[in-house]
Amino acid sequence: MPLVIKKKWVIKMPELPEVETIKNELLPHIVGHRITSITLFWDGIVRQPSAEEFCSRLIGQEITAVARRGKYLIFSLTSSEVLIIHLKMTGSLLLKSALAEPDKFVRAVIHLDKDTNIFFRDPRKLGVMWLVEDKNAIVGKLGPEPLEAEFTPQVLAQRLNNRMAPIKALLCDQGFIAGIGNMYADEALFAAGIHPLRSGKSLSQDEVKRLHQAIQQVLWSAINNKGASVDTYLRPGGELGTAHFQFQVAHYLSGKFCPVCGTSIQRIPIRNRGSYFCPHCQPNR
Ligand SMILES: [Zn+2]
């Protein structure tokens, strides 16, 4: 009997490097352009205000900047309002010519004053759009940005102080640190040699330093490789990212081997999500 490894259907949602790539690649095509109309194929994608008001307030506005905060995309507009988009599990923003036909998974189209439309495609219908006066109403409670200069090893150490939760759960907590999810938390912990179940407060000064460096290194590497297309993630032009080719543990299923020491990669559930790690390189001490 051949060995059959059952793959559990786990969707890898876009994390910081994927959203950063989307921002970078949308920017040159949309900044300075005006929204001429909006087509909503599914009103539920608009969280705030009503779908009708959302469309009427957006039409005619120019997109003046695009930024990322955590896993959110923030579009500044000529009015003082901001359009905020979260792609959740399966959302993508695709740049299409004005002649392109949306498929059945496109929930909204933002038409711009040139031969370009933005398709918000989302098979699982979990993605969300908000139009708000103050972006902090949506993103105000996020933790620090891991790639900004203010995020130092000292800041990480302070935030870990007295935290009993497993370090893996803390890294995925958007209020603890913004933008990291399951994939990059596993990769950062592997790179730092830290077991995912270690409590936040148990990390030594040296381990905090290693973890800080590992977080920045795995995120920058993934941004340089345009994000990880292990699942449904696409870049705005429809291309795949290649960051997953750099992964050491996160894309492994149980039964694969550690690229450093050859030990079987283990999978344990932490807060209902699979965590992949090497029990030899990441001992639970
Ligand atoms: Zn190992």
Side-chain angles (χ1 to χ4, degrees), residues 190 249 257-265 277-282:
F190 176 79
V249 288
F257 302 100
C258 170
V260 173
C261 73
T263 304
S264 285
I265 296 294
F277 69 103
C278 170
H280 180 259
C281 297
Q282 297 164 266

Side-chain angles (χ1 to χ4, degrees), residues 104-118:
K104 64 175 181 176
F105 296 122
V106 174
R107 309 301 175 192
V109 179
I110 299 172
H111 306 264
L112 300 178
D113 66 350
K114 58 174 202 168
D115 186 32
T116 300
N117 292 333
I118 304 169

Side-chain angles (χ1 to χ4, degrees), residues 236-280:
E239 309 93 336
L240 301 175
T242 57
H244 49 295
F245 296 126
Q246 314 294 320
F247 284 175
Q248 304 291 296
V249 288
H251 69 308
Y252 280 75
L253 300 164
S254 304
K256 296 274 176 115
F257 302 100
C258 170
V260 173
C261 73
T263 304
S264 285
I265 296 294
Q266 283 190 11
R267 177 189 186 278
I268 49 167
I270 298 179
R271 306 265 162 100
N272 291 325
R273 309 198 60 187
S275 287
Y276 296 92
F277 69 103
C278 170
H280 180 259

